[in-house]
Amino acid sequence: MRAAAIVLLVGSHSAALPAQGTPSLAHARQLYEARNWDVARQEFAALARATPNDVTPVMYLGRIAMALNDGDEGIKQFEQCVKIDDASADCHAGLGSALGTTAMRASKFKLPFIAKRTKKEFDRAVELDPRNVEGRWGQMQYYMHAPGFMGGSMDKAREQAAEIDKTDKLRGALAAAALAENEKKTPEVEAAYQRAVTAAPDSAVGYYGLVNLYVREKRWGDSFAVLDRLSARLPAEQSVALVIARVAYLSGEQLSRGEESAKQWLANPPKNVGVNSQAMGHLRLGNIYEKTSRKELARTEYERALRLNPRLDEAKKGLEAVRS
């Protein structure tokens, strides 16, 4: 349920564990911020073993599990987090988020029990810290999606969004966008993401929210215009080149620009970029080659993408298309 989930492209980075001894918390956090999930998980696991009464490594292990869409592992880690420190609002909010992911695939018989427990964790997080944004966000999501007989209420969801806005203007804007998305109020979605950009012009999340919206609406000119603004404001933003390639492929416009963006990114990828991001670079270049009827070049790029990330379904579909 985190805001960053709206970004079009999420990469991972590669790095090595320290040669000897227990890694530092600062280094593990650096890996986490770089989205180097596998190595960060190793370091936080080592820290958790070395400092079993410290809640921080376990909390990060839970967050990594959630980033990898492993709800069961997330529950396990956040339950341990709560066991270590029952007064941690972040632990309860994390557990609520992990439970929420399992609720989405639960049977209709188990769903009410999981949903009740999910809400209980979010409520506990807010009780412990009324300014806990993740707890408020979870409550908002619960009220927005739960049926009325389970306590769902758009009015209550809006109340939580207002509370989030008091604490964090960026997250408040993203909360307003989520509510408007749920109610299919496109002008309000757009306004909320514009507000997110204004609130945090040096965060990419609002820009990407607008791009996602404009792509869905097939407003290609607006998509490129936002990407131009993002590139000018945050020239080091590592995903923007691949998003340009994606929008070019989907729209059929500015294809030469999209091709050049993907090629330049692949020729000089961001420092420590991981294999998943590299796979996305080859995928986007393959998309454009396919769009411009260069099937052999597309096939090569799709194959390269799959060698890096064999689970990349979009590359599998592309490869089947150019082989036919």
Side-chain angles (χ1 to χ4, degrees), residues 241 244-245 254-267 285 288:
I244 289 171
Q254 301 191 32
L255 286 166
S256 60
R257 178 189 180 188
E259 180 178 340
E260 188 63 23
S261 293
K263 285 180 175 178
Q264 288 180 354
W265 190 94
L266 287 166
L285 186 54
I288 292 176

Side-chain angles (χ1 to χ4, degrees), residues 148-159:
F149 71 89
M150 291 175 60
S153 165
M154 286 304 296
D155 287 340
K156 290 182 179 180
R158 279 186 278 270
E159 289 174 5

Side-chain angles (χ1 to χ4, degrees), residues 186 189-190 193 208-218:
T186 298
V189 175
E190 183 175 10
Y193 282 130
Y208 284 133
L210 282 171
V211 172
N212 286 339
L213 171 65
Y214 293 150
V215 165
R216 290 196 300 272
E217 296 290 310
K218 294 182 169 53

Side-chain angles (χ1 to χ4, degrees), residues 53-70:
N53 294 321
D54 184 358
V55 73
T56 303
V58 181
M59 188 183 304
Y60 275 98
L61 287 171
R63 290 171 178 171
I64 291 169
M66 297 303 295
L68 295 172
N69 297 314
D70 189 345

Side-chain angles (χ1 to χ4, degrees), residues 6 144 174-186 188-190 193 209 212-213 216:
I6 69 171
M144 183 167 59
L174 297 177
L179 291 171
E181 291 265 20
N182 186 66
E183 296 182 301
K184 296 180 171 53
K185 296 179 178 179
T186 298
E188 293 184 17
V189 175
E190 183 175 10
Y193 282 130
N212 286 339
L213 171 65
R216 290 196 300 272

Side-chain angles (χ1 to χ4, degrees), residues 89-302:
D90 287 337
C91 288
H92 285 283
L95 181 53
S97 294
L99 288 164
T101 64
T102 65
M104 292 187 289
R105 63 176 187 269
S107 70
K108 63 180 181 180
F109 301 106
K110 292 184 178 179
L111 179 58
F113 301 100
I114 297 175
K116 182 177 180 181
R117 187 182 174 200
T118 299
K119 184 175 183 298
K120 179 182 177 182
E121 294 300 331
F122 288 135
D123 289 347
R124 177 64 173 155
V126 173
E127 178 187 350
L128 288 165
D129 178 8
R131 294 174 60 84
N132 186 277
V133 171
E134 295 303 328
R136 294 282 187 187
W137 187 276
Q139 287 181 321
M140 181 193 76
Q141 292 280 348
Y142 180 89
Y143 289 128
M144 183 167 59
H145 294 298
F149 71 89
M150 291 175 60
S153 165
M154 286 304 296
D155 287 340
K156 290 182 179 180
R158 279 186 278 270
E159 289 174 5
Q160 295 307 316
E163 291 297 325
I164 292 169
D165 193 65
K166 292 177 184 178
T167 300
D168 185 327
K169 291 299 180 184
L170 172 59
R171 294 296 296 273
L174 297 177
L179 291 171
E181 291 265 20
N182 186 66
E183 296 182 301
K184 296 180 171 53
K185 296 179 178 179
T186 298
E188 293 184 17
V189 175
E190 183 175 10
Y193 282 130
Q194 292 283 13
R195 183 156 57 92
V197 171
T198 300
D202 291 329
S203 169
V205 66
Y207 299 93
Y208 284 133
L210 282 171
V211 172
N212 286 339
L213 171 65
Y214 293 150
V215 165
R216 290 196 300 272
E217 296 290 310
K218 294 182 169 53
R219 293 167 57 179
W220 308 120
D222 289 332
S223 298
F224 284 115
V226 172
L227 290 168
D228 289 339
R229 288 171 59 197
L230 175 56
S231 298
R233 183 78 188 198
L234 301 173
E237 170 58 30
Q238 69 176 42
S239 294
V240 67
L242 299 188
V243 180
I244 289 171
R246 177 177 182 265
V247 176
Y249 155 66
L250 291 173
S251 66
E253 299 176 10
Q254 301 191 32
L255 286 166
S256 60
R257 178 189 180 188
E259 180 178 340
E260 188 63 23
S261 293
K263 285 180 175 178
Q264 288 180 354
W265 190 94
L266 287 166
N268 187 28
K271 184 179 179 181
N272 295 328
V273 73
V275 294
N276 289 340
S277 289
Q278 293 178 52
M280 292 302 297
H282 289 291
L283 169 66
R284 294 307 171 210
L285 186 54
N287 289 153
I288 292 176
Y289 283 147
E290 180 184 355
K291 191 80 169 183
T292 52
S293 301
R294 289 175 283 176
K295 288 190 174 183
E296 284 303 310
L297 291 174
R299 179 179 61 78
T300 298
E301 295 303 322
Y302 290 143

